[in-house]
Amino acid sequence: MAKPIVTLATSVDFPDLDADDRALPDALAERGIDPRVAVWNDPDVDWTEAGVVVLRSVRDYAKRRHYDAFRAWTRTVPRLLNHPDVVEWNSDKHYLQELEKRGVPTIPTMWLEPEQNLSKHQVHTRFPAFGDFVVKPAISSGGRGTGRYTAIDAKSRSEAINDAVHHLGRGRTVMVQRYLEEVDRKGEVSLVYFNGVLSHAVEKAPMLHPSFRSIDEEDVHEEIVTAREPSEQEWLWGERVRKGIHGLIKGRSKRDIQLLFNRVDVVSDGQGGFYLMEVSLIDAGLYLSSAPVALDNFADAIAQRVFW
């Protein structure tokens, strides 16, 4: 009897998966699965013969030249995890506005839209008057296009204006957020869920130092992570976000969609609560090599979906 096929979809930049995922094929093989790896936009791949397709190192999906093609491709794959409806929703960070309306605290954000046709002066007036702030496009992956700037430094503020205008000129919404000092003090926490169940958590060191800029779409910044047990408060808050995500997705797709993987990034608000920074459901780094249980948990989660 032929083994069920699982194809791990990646990008041309990671033809053999990224380093964190490279042990996954062997773990799947140990569970009676025939693992394969394929580049999502390789014209020679027949995705109708790919079995269950799991999104992994598709980090180029948000690039302007790939974005529409990637979303169209997801609709051609018979069994894609996460589901194409999830990809559509999560590919644009406007989803944060939807979660905020559901009562999930998010980082206060000024949204600059291309159709506003803002002048440089108008962009300038929408930046904070003091402190550090972050400028990033609403469609991005791996921190591409993100910069940290200082409001009262003329050179830094000018760079922020130019970078925002650059993204707006490419038709991308720009997010302007005050930089949270809690990130420097405590870092970010990522909660990773498989099939709706919390698997593990990691703490991420600060990445946006005061002069950090990543304007080029090719730039990706490296994360420094440490696995740790989430506190009870972090766990409860993560559950709140997870339920909000599932409710939104179900409402949009009109079907019951179970997320294979879900990474929720949070940061302390300095007052005993948390802000949601990001939900990653497409190309999420899952820190499989950082937490002892992570790889086996993910392989088990995939096997559950294959053998259901």
Side-chain angles (χ1 to χ4, degrees):
M1 184 176 177
K3 295 180 180 180
I5 299 170
V6 168
T7 300
L8 305 174
T10 185
S11 61
V12 68
D13 295 327
F14 301 95
D16 300 314
L17 303 174
D18 71 9
D20 193 52
D21 285 336
R22 285 190 192 135
L24 184 55
D26 286 344
L28 293 175
E30 291 171 0
R31 288 158 175 80
I33 292 169
D34 178 6
R36 303 179 185 181
V37 178
V39 174
W40 72 267
N41 54 354
D42 183 344
D44 295 327
V45 177
D46 181 356
W47 293 99
T48 64
E49 300 294 328
V52 172
V53 178
V54 177
L55 293 171
R56 290 314 309 129
S57 314
V58 291
R59 306 241 173 91
D60 58 354
Y61 83 86
K63 292 181 180 178
R64 196 164 60 136
R65 66 181 183 272
H66 291 324
Y67 184 62
D68 290 338
F70 177 79
R71 290 183 300 153
W73 167 78
T74 65
R75 300 290 177 183
T76 69
V77 179
R79 296 184 65 190
L80 183 71
L81 299 173
N82 285 319
H83 192 278
D85 288 350
V86 171
V87 171
E88 186 70 29
W89 178 77
N90 191 233
S91 66
D92 186 321
K93 290 182 178 60
H94 280 94
Y95 68 77
L96 290 169
Q97 294 177 323
E98 298 180 62
L99 288 169
E100 186 176 28
K101 290 176 183 176
R102 288 199 165 222
V104 175
T106 62
I107 297 174
T109 301
M110 174 68 71
W111 299 82
L112 311 182
E113 304 292 350
E115 56 269 24
Q116 292 175 293
N117 295 314
L118 299 173
S119 66
K120 282 192 172 183
H121 176 71
Q122 289 172 317
V123 170
H124 160 77
T125 62
R126 285 160 172 78
F127 288 164
F130 61 91
D132 283 8
F133 62 98
V134 175
V135 172
K136 59 185 175 184
I139 298 173
S140 66
S141 172
R144 294 181 178 92
T146 299
R148 176 180 171 184
Y149 308 91
T150 301
I152 60 174
D153 182 278
K155 181 176 182 295
S156 181
R157 197 175 183 92
S158 177
E159 289 174 346
I161 293 169
N162 290 335
D163 293 342
V165 169
H166 168 81
H167 294 311
L168 290 167
R170 292 185 165 205
R172 295 283 174 90
T173 297
V174 171
M175 304 166 64
V176 181
Q177 300 174 327
R178 185 174 298 283
Y179 183 78
L180 301 177
E181 298 302 324
E182 289 298 314
V183 174
D184 286 339
R185 286 193 284 268
K186 297 183 179 179
E188 301 173 36
V189 175
S190 288
L191 305 167
V192 180
Y193 299 82
F194 298 140
N195 288 336
V197 178
L198 181 65
S199 166
H200 56 283
V202 302
E203 189 170 284
K204 298 189 286 189
M207 291 178 289
L208 299 184
H209 55 75
S211 61
F212 182 90
R213 295 174 72 202
S214 175
I215 301 309
D216 195 320
E217 284 193 333
E218 307 299 326
D219 291 344
V220 181
H221 50 83
E222 184 177 353
E223 295 179 325
I224 300 174
V225 304
T226 305
R228 70 166 174 80
E229 289 293 320
S231 67
E232 182 178 0
Q233 187 180 23
E234 289 166 345
W235 182 86
L236 290 171
W237 205 88
E239 283 298 300
R240 177 181 174 186
V241 175
R242 185 189 64 79
K243 290 177 181 178
I245 294 166
H246 279 270
L248 275 173
I249 291 172
K250 186 174 181 179
R252 286 173 59 93
S253 68
K254 307 303 180 185
R255 68 186 76 192
D256 187 17
I257 293 177
Q258 174 69 64
L259 300 174
L260 170 63
F261 59 88
N262 173 13
R263 195 190 79 209
V264 175
D265 297 340
V266 303
V267 62
S268 170
D269 64 4
Q271 301 175 14
F274 296 90
Y275 284 124
L276 173 65
M277 298 192 72
E278 185 174 359
V279 176
S280 194
L281 307 174
I282 303 173
D283 63 331
L286 300 176
Y287 313 114
L288 301 183
S289 59
S290 298
V293 299
L295 178 63
D296 283 337
N297 285 354
F298 192 36
D300 286 342
I302 294 172
Q304 289 170 10
R305 303 298 286 271
V306 170
F307 294 112
W308 275 0

